[in-house]
């Protein structure tokens, strides 16, 4: 009887928990890709195209950052910003590359998707000393 009660309780709990808790995000929603603490180059973050977003922690080093798409057989591609430029300035005088949450979004990154996995592999490089923490979303 106790086993039956446990099964009933488990089923009731499963019905009460919203199904979106178990679902992955779909198109138009940000999928968290992870984070990395780095000094020169972050780890790779996967993207299926569309838009890609990074956020830097508030204690990340100020200076110049650049997003690249990793390519094991050719030189890595510089990812262009939405205005056609490359590179970002974080916490430097006159810089408006990041929003108030220390985030930047690249739109229309479909051209960087490649390989047999149909994914882009993005990494963030920086050109100043010390550690920085990046959070990535696809």
């Amino acid at each position: 009887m106790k086993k039956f009660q446990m099964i009933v309780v488990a089923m009731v709990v499963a019905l009460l928990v919203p199904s979106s808790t178990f679902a992955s995000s779909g198109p138009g929603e940000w999928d968290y890709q992870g984070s990395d603490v780095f000094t020169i180059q972050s780890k790779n973050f996967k993207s299926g195209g569309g838009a890609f977003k990074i956020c830097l922690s508030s204690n990340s080093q100020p200076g110049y950052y650049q997003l690249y798409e990793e390519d094991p057989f050719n030189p890595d591609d510089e990812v262009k910003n939405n205005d056609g430029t490359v590179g970002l300035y974080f916490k430097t005088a006159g810089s408006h590359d990041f929003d108030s949450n220390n985030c930047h979004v690249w739109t229309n990154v479909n051209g960087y998707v490649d390989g047999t996995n149909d994914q882009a592999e993005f990494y963030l490089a920086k050109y100043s000393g010390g550690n920085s923490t990046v959070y990535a979303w696809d």
Side-chain angles (χ1 to χ4, degrees):
M1 185 67 176
K2 190 153 190 102
K3 187 175 185 179
F4 177 74
Q5 288 175 332
M6 292 300 290
I7 291 172
V8 170
V9 168
M11 289 176 62
V12 169
V13 168
L15 291 173
L16 292 175
V17 175
S19 61
S20 63
T21 302
F22 301 108
S24 64
S25 297
E29 299 178 29
W30 289 114
D31 297 320
Y32 182 63
Q33 298 299 309
S35 65
D36 192 30
V37 177
F38 67 103
T39 54
I40 297 172
Q41 176 180 321
S42 74
K43 70 179 186 178
N44 288 349
F45 298 103
K46 301 231 184 257
S47 172
F52 186 74
K53 175 171 79 170
I54 59 106
C55 298
L56 293 173
S57 66
S58 59
N59 61 346
S60 291
Q61 295 298 308
Y64 183 75
Y65 289 77
Q66 172 64 48
L67 188 69
Y68 289 91
E69 199 278 323
E70 192 268 336
D71 191 343
F73 303 110
N74 293 308
D76 294 348
D77 297 319
E78 292 181 324
V79 177
K80 293 192 183 301
N81 298 326
N82 300 332
D83 63 2
T85 62
V86 294
L88 305 169
Y89 289 93
F90 181 66
K91 290 186 175 178
T92 58
S95 171
H96 303 290
D97 293 331
F98 289 82
D99 66 17
S100 61
N101 294 317
N102 298 331
C103 298
H104 183 84
V105 175
W106 287 264
T107 58
N108 197 22
V109 295
N110 297 341
Y112 298 99
V113 174
D114 59 9
T116 58
N117 64 356
D118 289 325
Q119 299 279 304
E121 294 80 20
F122 292 128
Y123 66 88
L124 192 64
K126 71 182 182 75
Y127 299 90
S128 57
N131 289 340
S132 291
T133 303
V134 62
Y135 303 90
W137 287 267
D138 179 46

